[in-house]
């Protein structure tokens, strides 16, 4: 091998060594870059998954909250409906009392509500015809028995006037009226005892 060939061979070897070095460095850098991108991709994937899980949990919580609110509203509406039915039934039962009990109840109410004993009792058309005179007579008898000094006992009268009502009466003394219609009495009682009735109905 002459000198030129040796030099050429040496150049080739040095070039190959440099090429191998460059390729090795390039492969190493490529591996590092790939590792970094894989790590970044993994991190972003985990973050996306975490955000997705968080969003899903928040949505589930919101839906559960809405469901609870709807359930409460439904329960409240159901309770209100049951209370309406309970008081409607009470009104129906009052209006449907046997006649003797009905007369006794109205007479007791009239005697209690009377302020002077000179008032007129206004009934529904049906009740005026059916029990009006008997209620007035029984109420006057009660007032006479009570004998209140300030009261002109036993002078309640049956009014010619009638009013639309389910039951009960209106006690009238000129411009002053005491509303003892069953609808009014039940409504007033409802505001006072709704809590107790609800407790009895729903525990």
């Amino acid at each position: 091998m002459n000198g030129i060939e040796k030099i050429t061979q040496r150049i080739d070897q040095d070039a190959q060594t440099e090429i191998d070095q460059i390729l090795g460095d390039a492969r190493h850098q490529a591996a590092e870059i790939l590792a970094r991108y894989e790590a970044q991709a993994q991190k972003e994937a985990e973050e996306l998954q975490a955000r997705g899980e968080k969003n899903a949990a928040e949505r589930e919580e919101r839906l559960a909250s809405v469901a609870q609110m709807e359930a409460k509203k439904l329960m409240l509406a159901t309770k209100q409906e049951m209370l309406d039915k309970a008081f409607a039934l009470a009104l129906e039962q009052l209006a449907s009392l046997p006649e003797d009990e009905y007369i006794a109840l109205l007479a007791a109410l009239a005697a209690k509500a009377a302020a002077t004993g000179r008032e007129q009792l206004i009934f529904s058309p049906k009740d005026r015809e059916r029990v009006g005179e008997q209620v007035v007579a029984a109420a006057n008898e009660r007032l006479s028995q009570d004998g209140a000094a300030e009261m002109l006992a036993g002078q309640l009268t049956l009014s010619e006037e009638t009013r639309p009502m389910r039951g009960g009466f209106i006690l009238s003394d000129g411009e002053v009226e005491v509303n003892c219609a069953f609808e009014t009495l039940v409504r007033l009682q409802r505001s006072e005892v709704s809590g107790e009735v609800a407790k009895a109905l729903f525990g």
Side-chain angles (χ1 to χ4, degrees), residues 60-167:
E60 183 179 357
E61 187 176 342
R62 284 196 302 270
L63 290 174
S65 178
V66 169
Q68 287 176 355
M69 287 176 61
E70 289 300 319
K72 285 180 181 178
K73 283 165 60 177
L74 182 60
M75 179 61 72
L76 185 62
T78 301
K79 287 182 178 181
Q80 190 63 47
E81 183 181 352
M82 293 298 292
L83 284 173
D84 290 344
K85 288 182 179 179
F87 284 100
L89 179 61
L91 179 60
E92 184 65 33
Q93 288 177 340
L94 281 172
S96 304
L97 284 171
E99 189 168 299
D100 56 339
E101 292 181 31
Y102 190 67
I103 292 169
L105 173 62
L106 295 187
L109 278 173
K112 185 176 180 180
T116 66
R118 296 189 305 269
E119 295 92 344
Q120 290 188 325
L121 273 70
I122 302 171
F123 291 94
S124 68
K126 178 182 175 182
D127 276 358
R128 186 185 188 284
E129 179 72 24
R130 184 171 66 101
V131 298
E133 291 182 0
Q134 297 173 74
V135 172
V136 169
N140 280 330
E141 184 178 348
R142 279 177 170 269
L143 288 173
S144 297
Q145 290 172 355
D146 291 344
E150 72 276 9
M151 188 178 293
L152 299 175
Q155 294 187 30
L156 296 174
T157 56
L158 179 62
S159 175
E160 294 293 330
E161 181 184 0
T162 60
R163 304 264 182 94
M165 62 187 94
R166 290 288 303 280

